[in-house]
Every structure is written in C-alpha cells, then in structure tokens.
Amino acid sequence: MREYLMPFFVVAALALAGCNKSKSPEDVSKDVANAEQKARNEVAKSEDRAQRALDKSYEKVNDQQIKFNNDAAHQTYNVAIAKADGNRKVALATCESQSGDAQKACKDQAEADYKTARADARASAEVAVQQQ
C-alpha cells in the first residue's frame, strides 16, 4: 500500500510547491488593476443602492411632513374657531345687559366679530397649507 501512496505524495508536494510561486510583475499589475476595477464597481453599485434607498425614505418622510403640516393647519383652524365661538358667546351674554337698540347693535357687533374671526382662521389655514 505504501508503494501506491508514495507517488501520490510526490505529485501533491510538487503541485503545492507550484502554488507558492511568485507571479511576474506584469501579471501582478494586471491582477491589481482588475481587483481595483472590481472594487470600484462594487462601491459604485453600493452607492447607487444606498442613494435609491435614501431617496425612497426621503419621499416617505416628505409625505409625512406634508401630512403633519396639513394636520397642524387643520388643528390650528379648529382652535381658532373654538376661540371665536367662545368670544361670540361671551359677547352675546354681555349684550343681554343692554336693551333696545344698544342690545341689537351689541349683538350685531358680536356677530360681525365672529364672522371676521372665522374668515381670519380660514385664511390663516389656507396660507399654512399653501406654504408647503
């Protein structure tokens, strides 16, 4: 059995000795250039993938920002309307202390102030939405 294994070991030793042989400078230069090109290609592909992922994330964030701004404008409008309603109720209650033409003028002024406050709230909300 040893007789058969010995040639096998000799062939394996010769094959392994050839693996550690140095390459010519031209071959090494060519291999380095190829490796550098592959590395540049991989980096470029990775940068492209990263940019696409960031663009997609930005679109989502931008959509959420627009939604938030619209919600904020809507809620600011609701608060302004609630304040206008409250001011109107207080003004109308105050008008009750007057009588005749003075009471009518007071109520008319309360209604006019209420309409102005509602119009201002609507205009502010529209400006806030348009600024996006």
Side-chain angles (χ1 to χ4, degrees):
M1 181 96 148
R2 283 187 179 176
E3 294 171 8
Y4 296 111
L5 290 178
M6 188 54 96
F8 175 73
F9 286 127
V10 171
V11 170
L14 290 174
L16 289 175
C19 288
N20 290 331
K21 188 176 175 184
S22 65
K23 292 184 175 183
S24 71
E26 295 83 20
D27 288 343
V28 170
S29 178
K30 204 183 274 186
D31 290 347
V32 168
N34 286 339
E36 287 174 343
Q37 182 62 40
K38 286 180 182 179
R40 282 192 297 273
N41 288 344
E42 287 301 315
V43 169
K45 287 177 187 178
S46 180
E47 288 173 342
D48 288 344
R49 285 190 301 266
Q51 188 61 51
R52 284 193 306 271
L54 289 174
D55 289 345
K56 192 173 186 178
S57 293
Y58 177 76
E59 289 173 13
K60 289 179 183 178
V61 168
N62 195 33
D63 290 344
Q64 289 298 319
Q65 183 69 37
I66 290 170
K67 183 181 182 317
F68 173 81
N69 289 342
N70 286 340
D71 288 346
H74 181 71
Q75 296 308 321
T76 300
Y77 171 79
N78 287 344
V79 169
I81 294 300
K83 285 180 183 178
D85 287 340
N87 290 342
R88 177 176 169 243
K89 289 176 184 174
V90 169
L92 289 174
T94 303
C95 291
E96 294 298 321
S97 67
Q98 300 175 9
S99 62
D101 289 339
Q103 186 183 49
K104 177 153 178 29
C106 182
K107 286 183 177 182
D108 288 345
Q109 185 61 48
E111 291 299 328
D113 291 345
Y114 176 69
K115 286 180 183 178
T116 299
R118 285 182 62 90
D120 289 346
R122 179 175 297 278
S124 294
E126 287 173 357
V127 167
V129 169
Q130 289 174 358
Q131 288 179 349
Q132 300 169 23

